[in-house]
């Protein structure tokens, strides 16, 4: 069943249908939040807060955006609020699952080294670029969905050099 159909059912009083949306997006949302927060306990708390906030504001949802992008935007805002309270920088995690477990020891070592090099380069980027890259290549969101999550102008995400004035 499509997200829009589930949302309509929830809004009509079939609140248990929201559980299907939670099941659908829980793991990807937790993975997204790990890249922002790092600490597991904070990740799960933030994900729960995001799902609760989305549920409480479901009547405001517009199908102009995908539910996934709307939920990620809520989660990102919750994570930023949490980090402001903690006053720390947003870390970027490199997913260990990127290293193929079937590799030999030499290939695994080289892949891990490459992941560390990528991480070092990404840490030099401004936060919004790191998050945009993560959403695009790890979560496979469209540019339009990323602009919803990050509240950036769509053209800036496609051609950042041509649109530096929007940063």
């Amino acid at each position: 069943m499509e997200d829009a159909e589930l949302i309509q059912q929830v809004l009509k009083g079939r609140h248990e249908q929201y559980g299907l949306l939670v099941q659908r997006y829980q793991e990807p949302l937790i993975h997204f939040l790990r890249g922002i927060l790092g600490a597991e306990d904070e990740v799960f708390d933030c994900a729960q807060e995001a799902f609760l906030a989305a549920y409480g504001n479901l009547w405001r949802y517009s199908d102009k955006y995908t539910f996934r992008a709307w939920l990620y935007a809520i989660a990102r805002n919750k994570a930023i609020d949490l980090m402001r309270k903690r006053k720390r920088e947003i870390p970027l995690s490199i997913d260990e699952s990127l290293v193929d477990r079937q590799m030999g020891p030499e290939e695994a070592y080289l892949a891990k080294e490459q992941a560390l090099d990528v991480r070092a380069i990404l840490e030099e980027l401004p936060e919004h670029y790191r998050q945009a890259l993560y959403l695009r290549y790890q979560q496979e969101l469209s540019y339009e969905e990323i602009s919803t999550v990050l509240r950036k102008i769509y053209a800036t995400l496609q051609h950042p050099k041509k649109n530096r004035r929007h940063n």
Side-chain angles (χ1 to χ4, degrees):
M1 188 177 302
E2 296 293 319
D3 293 348
E5 292 175 68
L6 290 171
I7 291 167
Q8 287 307 311
Q9 288 187 9
V10 172
L11 292 173
K12 290 177 183 174
R14 297 194 59 212
H15 302 283
E16 69 279 0
Q17 295 296 323
Y18 190 70
L20 295 174
L21 290 169
V22 172
Q23 287 176 356
R24 187 173 292 167
Y25 294 109
Q26 186 172 15
E27 285 303 315
L29 184 67
I30 286 170
H31 193 71
F32 170 64
L33 289 170
R34 275 188 189 124
I36 297 174
L37 296 169
E40 282 298 300
D41 57 330
E42 290 179 344
V43 166
F44 289 108
D45 289 347
C46 191
Q48 184 175 10
E49 284 184 35
F51 278 115
L52 288 172
Y55 179 77
N57 291 291
L58 207 52
W59 60 275
R60 291 181 175 179
Y61 169 74
S62 166
D63 59 5
K64 176 179 172 185
Y65 307 109
T66 63
F67 178 76
R68 176 174 67 167
W70 186 67
L71 177 65
Y72 278 39
I74 291 170
R76 180 179 179 270
N77 290 338
K78 294 285 182 189
I80 289 170
D81 289 346
L82 180 62
M83 290 179 39
R84 281 185 185 136
K85 289 178 190 172
R86 305 276 190 269
K87 293 187 179 184
R88 61 178 194 211
E89 269 189 40
I90 295 177
L92 178 73
S93 67
I94 296 292
D95 190 356
E96 289 285 325
S97 67
L98 294 176
V99 178
D100 186 357
R101 304 291 181 222
Q102 302 300 320
M103 291 180 181
E106 186 175 335
E107 291 102 356
Y109 174 79
L110 291 173
K112 223 172 199 180
E113 285 295 311
Q114 187 176 23
L116 290 173
D117 289 345
V118 169
R119 179 185 207 162
I121 292 167
L122 290 174
E123 286 176 351
E124 293 177 17
L125 293 174
E127 170 194 337
H128 63 277
Y129 284 131
R130 289 193 318 253
Q131 289 181 2
L133 287 169
Y134 175 82
L135 290 169
R136 180 70 180 146
Y137 295 104
Q138 288 289 316
Q139 295 289 322
E140 298 179 351
L141 268 65
S142 69
Y143 289 116
E144 193 171 349
E145 289 173 314
I146 294 168
S147 69
T148 299
V149 173
L150 300 180
R151 293 195 174 110
K152 289 284 181 189
I153 297 170
Y154 178 67
T156 303
L157 292 172
Q158 286 186 311
H159 307 289
K161 287 184 181 179
K162 291 181 184 177
N163 297 290
R164 289 194 191 271
R165 69 180 180 276
H166 294 295
N167 290 333

